[in-house]
Amino acid sequence: MTVAAAIPPEGPSPEASSDQAAVLARYDELGELLAGMDDRPPADPELWGPASAALLHEARLLDAGRFEDWLCGWTDDAVLWVPLSSPAHPGTDQSLLLDDRRRLAERVEWRRDPSAWGQQPPSRTVRIVGGVEAWPAPGGLVTRSTLLIDEHRHGRRQQLAGCQIHELVGDGLRRRTKILVVPALGTGVRNPSFLL
């Protein structure tokens, strides 16, 4: 091998450029989904039933601590985004969470780790999902719903209100995208490690 052959070419490889472009495109998709939510037409009433069933099922799994089952409901290209403000863009604004499928799996493992002091003892939560709206989208549907989370841990209680946007795809309405907007995050929340 010659020395010249061992020196990598200048700039990113074509694969890295392609991966970076895909990530940036996904960020733009998330930002547009959040920014455009308030301008959508009235929801499709025929999609209310399937959308509500999917969202209520997710809330039940999370409240029951069935995180592995919750993880199975995500697609391979999944993204969970919790911005600190709205409107926001994941490529330019700070986020509490911006997790792909791999990071979601790591977060579930962390929840089971006895040394994860942020969740020892684990939070007990009750989620109330309401105001469900749904619109058709390529391969599935997009939903917006209101969310109230009542969290108890160490004898202390907090309530967080916000909205959540889901992109649900396929026959099983698997989660491809979840954007959780909680206005209180911008002013500080006690130990938000329970948010998923």
Side-chain angles (χ1 to χ4, degrees), residues 41-182:
D44 184 337
E46 292 187 17
L47 297 177
W48 181 86
S52 295
L55 300 180
L56 293 172
H57 183 242
E58 179 191 27
R60 180 163 41 92
L61 291 177
L62 290 171
D63 288 342
R66 292 176 50 192
F67 302 114
E68 291 81 3
D69 293 334
W70 172 78
L71 185 63
C72 290
W74 288 89
T75 62
D76 290 339
D77 62 345
V79 175
L80 168 62
W81 179 33
V82 184
L84 291 178
S85 63
S86 178
H89 187 283
T92 57
D93 297 299
Q94 288 187 333
S95 302
L96 178 66
L97 301 176
L98 182 58
D99 291 352
D100 62 7
R101 181 68 166 71
R102 179 186 57 83
R103 286 288 297 136
L104 290 173
E106 291 172 359
R107 197 169 293 284
V108 166
E109 285 298 314
W110 176 82
R111 292 294 297 255
R112 298 293 185 218
D113 186 340
S115 66
W117 303 118
Q119 278 299 302
Q120 293 300 329
S123 294
R124 293 187 350 245
T125 59
V126 175
R127 287 167 172 79
I128 300 172
V129 178
V132 177
E133 299 176 280
W135 300 268
L141 51 94
V142 169
T143 71
R144 182 195 182 281
S145 59
T146 55
L147 179 67
L148 177 65
I149 305 173
D150 189 55
E151 184 242 1
H152 294 256
R153 183 172 177 270
H154 276 309
R156 295 169 69 180
R157 174 184 183 208
Q158 68 178 329
Q159 290 186 331
L160 297 177
C163 72
Q164 54 185 1
I165 299 164
H166 285 79
E167 182 185 15
L168 306 172
V169 297
D171 292 337
L173 294 181
R174 298 180 74 207
R175 292 176 296 281
R176 178 174 185 259
T177 302
K178 179 177 180 178
I179 303 171
L180 184 57
V181 179
V182 179

Side-chain angles (χ1 to χ4, degrees), residues 18-34:
S18 174
D19 290 345
Q20 185 179 24
V23 168
L24 294 175
R26 186 75 163 110
Y27 284 179
D28 287 342
E29 185 182 309
L30 293 167
E32 290 169 11
L33 184 58
L34 178 59

